[in-house]
Amino acid sequence: MSVDPFLLTLLILGLSSIFALLGIGGAVIYVPLFYWISIDLRIAIPLALLLNVTTAGSASFTYLKKKVIDFHTAIPFLIFSVIGAPIGTHIGMRVSEETILFIFSVVIILVGLSMLINGKKQAYISEPATHRRLFLGSLVGIGVGISAGMLGIGGGTFVVPLLLSLGYGIREAPATSSLIVMISSLSGLISHLNNIEISGTTMILFATASLIGSQFGSRIMYTSKWNLETLSRKYFKKIFGLMLIVVAVLLQYRISF
């Protein structure tokens, strides 16, 4: 690596706190970040999935204790994302690196735009209709799994807006999404095990930083001193969405020149 592992560890620590707060795994940033510091894309993807598992798993543990994860909604996502991940890995191994990076850029631009668009706040819905939950869970779950296997994206950037659109609150949506991201990323990681070529010490260092950061971020969600709903809806999501678009543009520039 051309970047000091210690500095990269500190960056992962800070980023994982933000990702846990938003209920996403963070691969939308980790994959291009690793690629920019000259880590091969085929290694960057499983490494990002590893950090996804750590971040989302740690956050899920906190949310489980707070009892804010909706398992009725999560289970259909979990089942179909596990099915989709090996499919995504199979596709990813058979297309060029440039194609993967182009698809990745398009995906994160769409995610960034979705975060910039204002949505009306909806009342909390404790349990959507069963048929709607199953349909959305199977459809989006397959997509989430394929994106995890092919791009290293755990799917939280898609799942959180979907849950918010169903009426889930700013705390319940990231909590449920964290569990979905953990399972989809774990499935994708297992299908990529043969591509991990980074030393065990470095992986442990990164995973530990991700674990600590995600615990911090998930606990901040319950800090009563901050109005997190206003902060997340009005300011932070817009900044993060704009940052994703910039990352996508820079990524395409790196590929082209």
Side-chain angles (χ1 to χ4, degrees), residues 4 17 27 30 64 96 98 147 175-176 196 220 232 234:
D4 186 343
S17 300
Y30 288 138
L64 278 170
S96 67
E98 290 74 17
S147 73
T176 303
I196 299 179
I220 283 178
S232 179
K234 290 186 177 180

Side-chain angles (χ1 to χ4, degrees), residues 103-119:
I103 296 173
F104 190 93
S105 298
V106 171
V107 168
I108 61 177
I109 285 176
L110 293 176
V111 172
L113 289 174
S114 72
M115 289 184 169
L116 290 174
I117 297 173
N118 285 317

